Amino acid sequence: MSPAGGHVRATPEGLPDRLLPLALSRPAEAFAEASRLLDGQPDARSASIACQVRAIVLRDADRTAEAIAELRRALRFAERSEAAGRLADVQATLGLTLGLAGSTAPGLAMLDRAVANSAGVHAGRVLTRRGYLLRVLGRYDDSLADLRQAIRLLRRGGDHVWEARARVHRFLTYAALGQAARADRDLAVAGRLHAAAGQDLESAMAVHNRADLAFQAGDIPAALGFLDEAAARYEALGTSWPALAIDRCAVLLAAGLAIEAVTATDEALRRHARGGGNGTSTAELLFAVAQAAQAAGQPALAAERAAAARDLFRRQGRQGWQARATFVVLQSRYAAGHRGGHLSTQASRLADELDVLKAPEAPSAHLFAGRLAADRRPSEADRHLARAARFRDRGPTFGHAAGWLAHALRAEARGATAAALIACRRGLAAAGDHQRAMAAPELRAHAAAYGVDLAALAQRHAVRRADARMLLRWSERWRASALTVPAVRPPDDRDLAGELAALRNVVKRLDAARAAAAPTDRLDQERRHIEAAIRSRTRRTTGAAHRSGPSDDGDVVAELAAGLGDHRLVELTALDGQLHAITVVGHRVRMSAVGPVESAVRELELARFMLRRLARGRPPAGALAALDAAGHRLQQALLGPAAAVVGDAPVVVVPPARLHAVPWALLPALRAAPIVVAPSAATWLRAARLRAPRRRQVVLVVGPGLRGSAEEIRQIGDRYPDALTLADGQATAEAALSALDGAWTAHIAAHGSFRSDNPLFSAVSLDDGPLTVYDLGRLRHAPRRLVLSSCESGVAAPVAADELLGVVTALVPLGMASLLASVVPVNDAVTAPLMVDFHERLRAGRSFGAALHAVRESVAGDPVAMATALSFVALGR
């Protein structure tokens, strides 16, 4: 009889047995064939296989309730079929699916029955699935026992497909335990077996698993690349895989991209919920969002998601995962301002539990518990810090700096200052190794976060000792560190060039649609898709990593004093919310406390607002007096007592990242002399050592739509008879890049836009669309001197403590020495004659700082021209 009670039709020979491998190779095709088989009134065994195949595809598409219903139907057919191993196989799939849905006790019970009902190869397949679920539940030793036995049975029985699956699950278990060498061996064997069997989905999973291996090794670019490849393969197969979003979240967090991790993982959670996703993945996605939110400084969201994940893990009987979620709850409570002995006690107990579980959070949990216990229970603090310090040379490389921080904190607690500073130095060397492993400027800048706490610990020692030289050394050691990494010369990446060209095209169409008041949703979605592809591609480039020893900067202060010449240095350091000024005049180094960083930020925003208002061209009565008063307030907030020692010599200002957009010439103490701004004193010194290019090529670029720009460039061109000018439709991105590469002096007069959401998409508008910072990163050699007369071209986004993302991020490592740019929107009509005057003074041999100073002096008394001149800063030499 047929399953429906009618006559049984002949089933094509071999079809049912072919369907099960197909479910994990080409799931959509398997589902369609299984459905057709069921429509044909097959025998009970074939019907059982068809229902099981449909269930596997439904489960992997997050349609768990439908999958379970289909498996119960398969179970009934299997009981009637009396085929060897059929009942146990369906029981194993049902048990695994129930367990992944959160019904862990019934799932494990069903798997135990399947083990009892099987032998030989069938037992190997069942043990593989039970080992999988045990791994998900965090029972790693039990998982390994099942998987070892499964691999022996499957290899002996010649079942290579299932042996590969068992090895993949053992790889994941070894990886969770930090046993990278064993994990790597299993993954290599599984990859060969899957490739030989033509298992497309499982080949995609193997790529996904390679991302985990790269992550464990600390290779962030490779991990991101493998995740992108796995995502493309899953999409081609029509498969949704929540683990991909969870793993991507972990990699983004390791890369310092916490905000992006929150956004992407929360969206994955919503998609998973809309699709009726299974309980284990729901809990893990909630946990991933909580971790990302905690790292992004969103304690309320972190607490909410972590508590929800913890409760789900508890109901699922996943104690290890429950402990991990509880740790995020404690972190978020601390970040929200909770203190006290109870929190410290909980953190201590939880750190020990996570250590026993070999959880990836164990090092950070010990560090957290050690810091909480420092004041009340020093011996307990030392115990936890000692355990955290074990990881200064264990585990992924991006975690080594935290191990050195724990080591430094232990030394500090026992009064061993020298040992603490040595640990800080070695920790910064480890953080630098990690930073050098990445080529993308974005990743390098964010990677600086790993050294922030180490640098701050040493800086606190310097402040307590009132040691200005020590504070300067440690401020320089980790300031603008991403710019000190040698540039990885960009390959001739035609795909990247094509994507950037596509972006220009869609932006031009967007602008046209907006001008015509036409719908833009589709174009905006296309823009976002292209931008995501560009980000992904650039992040996958690997840097020139090498392992360094403890950094030894020599006598940084002596080098600075010698290199400054007739310049004076003002370096500002933000530490624990307070601003400190370090001045170097001759060989004398002084330091002074200035005041709260937030006060300086407020005064800066007010000054920038006044400059923007004046730039509109209708200054109110008393505008210059009001601007002068704003300058005095800004000076007090930024320099405090240090203003008195600056004098009238040329000044190099090195601000923290949050204060990079200051119109420094507005400060009364800095008006009398040329000023240049630098990301760090070290980058300013390096710029002085750059050799001038052999060809003194001058490049002038005019973008569309700027009133007066063509005349501005014509007049500047008259001063450079051999200049290459791109204008009137010739100023395309590729033409501009070709001309800018290795130029001596370049001037771009074009509309500018700053993208705070992603600063590397900040751009100047050329004839064929935006020329972005990503485009500039394709240069082999930056122009030695660059003038950007567009609005806010000098604005960048602060990252970590003292890193910037913007034009300087791309061009300083490629050899740019000087940049003139604005820090507020400027009056285009007034800017033109100022730029002509600036170039006249450059041709007379003046530096960027001196030329800009002379331009400012020439317009004194004209409120609009003065406001425009004050809006420009000279960066570099």
Side-chain angles (χ1 to χ4, degrees):
M1 294 290 289
S2 75
H7 294 288
V8 176
R9 295 182 182 176
T11 301
E13 187 174 352
L15 175 60
D17 295 315
R18 187 172 64 83
L19 286 180
L20 278 169
L22 198 63
L24 291 176
S25 176
R26 298 189 295 279
E29 182 182 335
F31 190 90
E33 289 204 24
S35 299
R36 283 194 293 272
L37 179 60
L38 287 169
D39 289 341
Q41 296 183 335
D43 59 78
R45 177 181 178 277
S46 299
S48 171
I49 293 173
C51 289
Q52 185 181 6
V53 165
R54 282 166 52 95
I56 291 169
V57 176
L58 288 166
R59 180 194 67 200
D60 291 346
D62 287 333
R63 295 164 62 180
T64 311
E66 295 171 74
I68 291 172
E70 201 73 35
L71 283 167
R72 296 199 186 281
R73 187 180 172 205
L75 197 62
R76 291 193 293 272
F77 291 143
E79 288 168 345
R80 289 163 50 188
S81 73
E82 299 181 359
R86 183 93 286 273
L87 178 62
D89 200 63
V90 177
Q91 286 175 327
T93 303
L94 177 57
L96 176 60
T97 305
L98 287 168
L100 293 176
S103 300
T104 52
L108 285 171
M110 183 64 73
L111 281 161
D112 291 344
R113 287 201 292 275
V115 171
N117 289 334
S118 60
V121 167
H122 294 296
R125 295 175 180 177
V126 173
L127 287 166
T128 298
R129 283 169 278 194
R130 191 170 71 176
Y132 171 11
L133 182 56
L134 289 168
R135 174 184 60 79
V136 169
L137 297 176
R139 292 169 55 179
Y140 298 127
D141 290 340
D142 293 337
S143 173
L144 285 175
D146 271 3
L147 293 170
R148 287 184 187 119
Q149 186 180 354
I151 290 168
R152 284 196 297 271
L153 291 170
L154 294 164
R155 188 170 57 236
R156 191 182 305 149
D159 191 336
H160 301 309
V161 169
W162 272 96
E163 182 190 346
R165 291 171 185 166
R167 287 185 179 277
V168 166
H169 290 303
R170 193 167 70 173
F171 151 77
L172 291 168
T173 308
Y174 280 141
L177 293 170
Q179 299 179 27
R182 289 178 171 177
D184 192 24
R185 284 196 295 271
D186 266 336
L187 188 59
V189 175
R192 290 196 296 270
L193 293 172
H194 279 317
Q199 291 294 102
D200 294 347
L201 177 57
E202 288 175 302
S203 291
M205 293 177 186
V207 173
H208 185 168
N209 291 331
R210 288 177 71 191
D212 190 59
L213 265 187
F215 177 66
Q216 293 292 337
D219 191 344
I220 302 299
L224 289 169
F226 287 134
L227 289 171
D228 288 342
E229 184 183 345
R233 291 192 182 204
Y234 288 145
E235 185 177 1
L237 292 167
T239 301
S240 170
W241 215 254
L244 186 74
I246 294 165
D247 292 342
R248 188 182 295 278
C249 179
V251 177
L252 289 174
L253 288 179
L257 301 169
I259 297 293
E260 184 178 337
V262 173
T263 303
T265 316
D266 213 31
E267 174 56 30
L269 175 62
R270 286 193 291 271
R271 285 197 308 269
H272 183 71
R274 284 196 299 269
N278 68 57
T280 54
S281 293
T282 300
E284 290 171 27
L285 281 165
L286 282 166
F287 174 61
V289 175
Q291 286 185 306
Q294 175 58 32
Q298 301 175 23
L301 178 63
E304 177 191 331
R305 295 288 194 266
R310 178 196 60 197
D311 294 344
L312 266 178
F313 288 139
R314 183 190 297 122
R315 289 199 293 273
Q316 294 166 4
R318 302 168 71 183
Q319 294 179 344
W321 284 89
Q322 181 184 334
R324 296 173 69 188
T326 303
F327 175 52
V328 181
V329 172
L330 294 187
Q331 285 180 303
S332 58
R333 285 176 57 197
Y334 182 82
H338 293 274
R339 300 292 185 270
H342 182 59
L343 183 66
S344 176
T345 302
Q346 283 183 297
S348 179
R349 185 167 58 246
L350 192 60
D352 290 336
E353 183 179 354
L354 290 169
D355 200 274
V356 170
L357 291 165
K358 298 182 176 64
E361 294 79 15
S364 53
H366 281 304
L367 182 57
F368 180 65
R371 293 178 117 168
L372 287 185
D375 293 334
R376 290 184 174 87
R377 295 173 295 157
S379 61
E380 185 74 358
D382 185 72
R383 181 177 70 84
H384 284 297
L385 291 174
R387 292 188 176 182
R390 293 175 303 177
F391 293 89
R392 60 191 185 274
D393 55 4
R394 294 187 195 175
T397 55
F398 53 78
H400 292 179
W404 282 110
L405 175 61
H407 196 62
L409 289 170
R410 284 190 78 203
E412 183 184 48
R414 63 177 185 268
T417 301
L421 294 178
I422 290 171
C424 289
R425 203 159 53 240
R426 297 192 68 176
L428 289 178
D433 288 340
H434 172 61
Q435 194 175 47
R436 277 183 288 275
M438 291 170 281
E442 176 189 25
L443 296 186
R444 285 181 171 180
H446 283 284
Y450 287 101
V452 168
D453 284 345
L454 287 156
L457 192 152
Q459 287 171 323
R460 290 188 195 101
H461 277 290
V463 170
R464 284 195 293 268
R465 291 172 48 173
D467 188 333
R469 289 173 175 266
M470 182 181 180
L471 183 59
L472 179 58
R473 279 197 300 272
W474 282 99
S475 296
E476 277 293 304
R477 196 184 291 271
W478 200 243
R479 187 186 289 273
S481 58
L483 301 182
T484 67
V485 180
V488 177
R489 296 300 175 192
D492 186 14
D493 190 333
R494 294 183 181 179
D495 291 331
L496 176 60
E499 287 164 348
L500 288 164
L503 179 63
R504 285 191 285 277
N505 178 273
V506 76
V507 169
K508 285 205 77 171
R509 288 186 286 135
L510 258 171
D511 290 343
R514 288 173 183 140
T520 59
D521 288 351
R522 184 183 60 79
L523 287 171
D524 220 25
Q525 183 178 6
E526 184 180 349
R527 175 188 62 80
R528 288 194 297 271
H529 178 75
I530 295 170
E531 288 181 353
I534 291 168
R535 282 198 306 272
S536 295
R537 184 175 300 282
T538 54
R539 288 172 178 176
R540 295 197 293 264
T541 306
T542 302
H546 71 276
R547 189 165 180 81
S548 65
S551 61
D552 182 7
D553 302 323
D555 192 346
V556 175
V557 179
E559 184 184 356
L560 281 174
L564 282 169
D566 62 347
H567 287 75
R568 297 183 174 188
L569 174 70
V570 178
E571 181 150 342
L572 302 179
T573 295
L575 180 65
D576 300 327
Q578 296 295 309
L579 206 56
H580 300 267
I582 311 162
T583 57
V584 181
V585 179
H587 287 274
R588 186 168 185 182
V589 185
R590 306 178 192 175
M591 62 178 283
S592 53
V594 177
V597 175
E598 292 305 322
S599 296
V601 171
R602 283 195 301 271
E603 292 299 336
L604 171 58
E605 289 309 309
L606 177 60
R608 282 163 51 86
F609 169 76
M610 295 181 73
L611 287 175
R612 283 194 295 268
R613 186 174 64 175
L614 280 173
R616 292 173 187 160
R618 293 184 179 178
L624 284 178
L627 194 60
D628 184 65
H632 278 86
R633 291 193 303 272
L634 186 58
Q635 175 173 290
Q636 184 59 34
L638 286 171
L639 300 183
V645 301
V646 173
D648 58 0
V651 178
V652 181
V653 180
V654 178
R658 286 188 68 191
L659 298 171
H660 78 282
V662 172
W664 293 98
L666 187 58
L667 279 59
L670 300 180
R671 287 178 192 166
I675 312 156
V676 291
V677 183
S680 70
T683 58
W684 185 82
L685 287 175
R686 274 195 301 276
R689 294 193 288 266
L690 292 172
R691 287 192 217 163
R694 282 175 295 180
R695 263 189 339 120
R696 295 294 179 105
Q697 176 70 61
V698 176
V699 177
L700 307 175
V701 181
V702 187
L706 269 182
R707 188 179 59 196
S709 290
E711 179 61 20
E712 169 192 340
I713 292 297
R714 187 193 66 74
Q715 292 187 44
I716 294 171
D718 289 344
R719 287 153 175 80
Y720 300 105
D722 296 326
L724 170 62
T725 301
L726 298 175
D728 301 324
Q730 295 180 321
T732 62
E734 289 303 321
L737 289 172
S738 176
L740 292 171
D741 205 311
W744 165 238
T745 301
H747 183 122
I748 302 176
H751 279 299
S753 60
F754 175 67
R755 283 276 300 273
S756 59
D757 62 319
N758 195 319
L760 298 186
F761 285 114
S762 300
V764 291
S765 296
L766 300 185
D767 288 326
D768 61 342
L771 180 77
T772 68
V773 177
Y774 279 113
D775 285 293
L776 294 174
R778 293 173 56 215
L779 294 170
R780 296 192 177 278
H781 301 282
R784 188 55 45 88
R785 310 190 302 178
L786 177 63
V787 178
L788 296 174
S789 56
S790 53
C791 292
E792 294 191 291
S793 49
V795 175
V799 174
D802 284 318
E803 304 295 325
L804 292 171
L805 279 179
V807 172
V808 293
T809 313
L811 296 185
V812 167
L814 294 175
M816 183 182 70
S818 304
L819 171 69
L820 183 75
S822 69
V823 293
V824 295
V826 292
N827 186 310
D828 296 329
V830 177
T831 296
L834 297 182
M835 293 299 103
V836 174
D837 190 10
F838 177 78
H839 278 279
E840 187 65 45
R841 297 172 194 280
L842 277 188
R843 287 187 68 250
R846 298 200 184 187
S847 66
F848 266 45
L852 182 58
H853 175 65
V855 169
R856 282 194 297 265
E857 288 193 319
S858 72
V859 295
D862 181 337
V864 178
M866 175 56 80
T868 303
L870 288 169
S871 299
F872 282 90
V873 295
L875 294 102
R877 297 296 296 187

